[in-house]
Amino acid sequence: LDRPGEASASAEALAEEPVSGLAEALAPHLLRDLTATARESAGRHEEALRVRSAHTPGVWYQFAIGSPFFGGVEQRFRQALALETCGREREAIGWYASIAERSPWELPWKAPAARLLAGIFERLGETARAAEQYRLFISLWQEADEVLRPTVEDARARLAALMGRAA
């Protein structure tokens, strides 16, 4: 997606390809996400948000809880990021908070969502809620891979600073 124009053209071409079976329900959803991501890469965040906010066809619940693709966790996470990027942080809160509520396939997204929620609450001056999310993030990633440890240490420092302010 480092070439947004090509990504948009590819998404349009994919939209014309025939699909069958379960892919009929999934393909439009994934194509909409690809289109929005291409627009974000081009710096067109408001436009990407409009694409992401377009109606999503319903998916049978069993598919949603049984598949990381039909559950749409990545798309919901990206919706939250898009709202946050566009300055609509209060709306993003609900999207982040919904992560890992539907399916076990969503659990890998829980810690990143908690980290981003903590940042939003911190910026909004909601210290207790920010601290709660930092604690959740730290507990989930306390044994994170080495490459992720700086993010955990940053969260620890932010939590300590919040607790210092609250005292």
Side-chain angles (χ1 to χ4, degrees), residues 25-34 56-57 69-72 75-76:
L26 187 58
H29 186 64
L30 294 176
L31 285 169
R32 185 172 40 255
D33 188 58
L34 176 60
T56 301
F69 300 104
F70 283 101
Q75 289 76 21
R76 287 185 286 122

Side-chain angles (χ1 to χ4, degrees), residues 7 25 35 45 48 68 72 85 89 102 117 124 127-128 132 148:
T35 300
H45 299 287
T85 300
E89 291 183 319
R102 294 182 180 179
L117 269 172
L124 294 175
T127 305
E132 176 186 351
L148 300 173

Side-chain angles (χ1 to χ4, degrees), residues 80-102:
L81 283 171
L83 287 164
E84 188 177 358
T85 300
C86 291
R88 295 164 59 182
E89 291 183 319
R90 292 228 178 252
E91 289 177 71
I93 290 169
W95 287 90
Y96 285 131
S98 75
I99 302 296
E101 298 269 318
R102 294 182 180 179

Side-chain angles (χ1 to χ4, degrees), residues 111 115 134 137-159:
R115 173 65 179 87
Y134 280 128
F137 171 76
I138 293 164
S139 73
L140 291 170
W141 273 17
Q142 64 187 336
E143 296 179 27
D145 292 344
E146 190 67 34
V147 71
L148 300 173
R149 290 209 178 118
T151 306
V152 178
E153 292 310 312
D154 178 67
R156 286 185 205 280
R158 290 183 170 281
L159 177 60

Side-chain angles (χ1 to χ4, degrees), residues 8-76:
S8 293
S10 295
E12 290 172 17
L14 282 171
E16 300 301 320
E17 292 294 319
V19 292
S20 62
L22 295 176
E24 286 182 41
L26 187 58
H29 186 64
L30 294 176
L31 285 169
R32 185 172 40 255
D33 188 58
L34 176 60
T35 300
T37 302
R39 290 181 183 163
E40 287 166 348
S41 294
R44 296 167 24 208
H45 299 287
E46 290 288 341
E47 189 177 327
L49 183 57
R50 282 192 296 279
V51 170
R52 287 193 188 288
S53 299
H55 175 70
T56 301
V59 174
W60 186 45
Y61 184 69
Q62 293 292 36
F63 289 158
I65 64 168
S67 164
F69 300 104
F70 283 101
V73 66
E74 182 175 355
Q75 289 76 21
R76 287 185 286 122

